[in-house]
Amino acid sequence: MKKLISIFSLVIAFTLTAEAQKKKIGKTPKFTIEQNTELAVKQMTLALDLSEKQQSQIRPLFKDQAEKKKVAMNNRAEMRKKRTKPSTDEIYKMKIAFLDNQIAMKNNMKKILDKEQFEKYEKMTANKKKKEKQKMEKIAKMKKRKLLELEEN
């Protein structure tokens, strides 16, 4: 009887800690576009030592970028709700639009920043892309593991 109670209490303890950890995941605050823009400009200012003029030039770029990102996320969410996948042409158009946006952003940043700042900006964006890729690979592995567990059960 004692063994049964101790096993039951351990199961409850593990369940509670697992649930607590699940609640922490994905609880990032939802900022407005203006708040995200301001945070991005402040972070960029700290990293690159931007002048007031540069900050005022970068702010509308970041706001525009955040608006485009929000529209794209809403479109993807709608597609998920409808359980439809984009066609090959739609995917192609989305990728072209994304790349055009990146090219425009890079050109604008090149105009605003001096050479040293731009080099540092390029390194920052490369590191950010690398971290995002690692995060996505980690998520893909977790999904794969869950699918395998579900198939085993």
Side-chain angles (χ1 to χ4, degrees), residues 70-82:
K70 187 163 185 133
V71 168
M73 287 173 60
N74 289 339
N75 289 342
R76 283 194 300 268
E78 282 181 31
M79 291 184 112
R80 264 187 250 117
K81 283 182 184 176
K82 294 177 184 176

Side-chain angles (χ1 to χ4, degrees), residues 38-64:
E38 196 59 36
L39 288 172
V41 170
K42 297 284 184 189
Q43 289 172 342
M44 186 75 71
T45 300
L46 287 172
L48 301 177
D49 194 30
L50 299 177
S51 67
E52 287 294 324
K53 182 181 176 188
Q54 288 173 321
Q55 289 178 39
S56 64
Q57 290 173 327
I58 288 175
R59 193 169 278 112
L61 295 176
F62 282 176
K63 185 174 182 183
D64 184 49

